[in-house]
Amino acid sequence: SFRKGLPKIRQTAYALSLENHLSKDEILALALERASMGRGPKGGERVIGFFRASEAFFGAKPSAIAEDDFIALVAVLIAPD
């Protein structure tokens, strides 16, 4: 039915609106800021955001961590749980 397609239509309209108002870098930054990164390093609360996950797991911003640690964060981004 048409009702099942409404969320996709809304999602597409939202995406087009973002592309009209933000740069690709800004859209990527928003997505990384809202990404679920699984549970914290001690199994506690969920960590939301790539930068927050870097701070929680490695105690530093992504630009300051080792390449292997950065790759591990990207892997968590792909499969958070």
Side-chain angles (χ1 to χ4, degrees), residues 35-59:
S36 174
M37 299 297 290
R39 301 234 174 253
K42 296 178 183 172
E45 295 181 18
R46 297 188 73 66
V47 178
I48 303 297
F50 192 80
F51 291 89
R52 285 190 191 111
S54 181
E55 293 278 346
F57 289 103
F58 305 110

Side-chain angles (χ1 to χ4, degrees), residues 28 35 49 53 72:
L28 177 60

Side-chain angles (χ1 to χ4, degrees), residues 22-42:
L22 302 173
S23 71
K24 290 185 189 291
D25 287 343
E26 290 170 322
I27 293 170
L28 177 60
L30 283 173
L32 289 175
E33 185 179 301
R34 290 171 168 70
S36 174
M37 299 297 290
R39 301 234 174 253
K42 296 178 183 172

